[in-house]
């Protein structure tokens, strides 16, 4: 069964973590994004068929710069699915294909968002 999740645009992978000395920690921007999208997703049932395939579609619009690397959005989305319990793990025993694509916005004023489909 396919599951589709609509997410706000995640922070770039370059803005997920910071280091201070020997410690690595999540940034406030990343924590805020995780919290917001955990609430958006709500209570979901775990995916049960493994290995699964993941497709992330970024829909452009406000909040997306065309010069941004497309692949920098993926890590946060997969980590979110692990955090909320949709995916058990993100290793190759559980996820054997990941596809990322970009779609132009229908209207320039539309807010950018991400669609994550787990097959």
């Amino acid at each position: 069964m396919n599951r589709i999740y609509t997410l706000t645009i995640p922070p770039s992978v370059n803005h997920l973590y910071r280091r201070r000395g020997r410690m690595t920690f999540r940034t406030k921007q990343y924590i805020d994004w995780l919290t917001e999208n955990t609430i958006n997703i709500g209570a979901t049932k775990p995916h049960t068929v493994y290995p699964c395939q993941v497709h992330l579609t970024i829909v452009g619009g406000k909040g997306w710069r065309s010069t941004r690397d497309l692949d920098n959005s993926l890590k946060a989305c997969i980590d979110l699915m692990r955090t909320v319990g949709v995916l058990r793990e993100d290793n190759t025993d559980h996820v054997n294909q990941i596809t990322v694509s970009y779609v132009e916005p229908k209207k320039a004023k539309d807010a950018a968002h991400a669609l994550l489909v787990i097959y």
Side-chain angles (χ1 to χ4, degrees):
M1 179 170 125
N2 299 347
R3 298 196 182 209
I4 301 172
Y5 303 92
T6 302
L7 310 171
T8 59
I9 294 296
S12 168
V13 73
N14 300 321
H15 299 122
L16 300 183
Y17 296 97
R18 290 287 175 252
R19 289 189 56 91
R20 185 172 297 138
R22 292 183 179 177
M23 293 179 37
T24 301
F25 56 94
R26 291 177 176 174
T27 63
K28 181 179 181 334
Q29 180 182 12
Y30 187 33
I31 291 169
D32 290 347
W33 182 83
L34 286 170
T35 302
E36 176 185 6
N37 285 282
T38 297
I39 292 167
N40 288 347
I41 292 172
T44 58
K45 295 179 180 176
H47 193 78
T48 55
V49 179
Y50 294 106
C52 65
Q53 298 175 9
V54 175
H55 184 96
L56 175 67
T57 302
I58 300 293
V59 180
K62 288 184 180 179
W64 180 263
R65 292 184 339 268
S66 62
T67 58
R68 183 173 167 185
D69 290 349
L70 188 60
D71 61 331
N72 278 352
S73 300
L74 182 62
K75 174 141 181 63
C77 294
I78 297 296
D79 286 351
L80 173 67
M81 292 300 120
R82 287 193 60 225
T83 300
V84 299
V86 172
L87 292 176
R88 194 173 306 142
E89 292 291 337
D90 58 359
N91 59 40
T92 55
D93 288 338
H94 294 86
V95 179
N96 67 358
Q97 182 177 344
I98 298 175
T99 309
V100 183
S101 59
Y102 174 78
V103 175
E104 293 285 337
K106 291 182 181 173
K107 298 177 187 172
K109 294 182 179 183
D110 289 345
H113 61 279
L115 295 173
L116 186 78
V117 182
I118 302 176
Y119 301 92

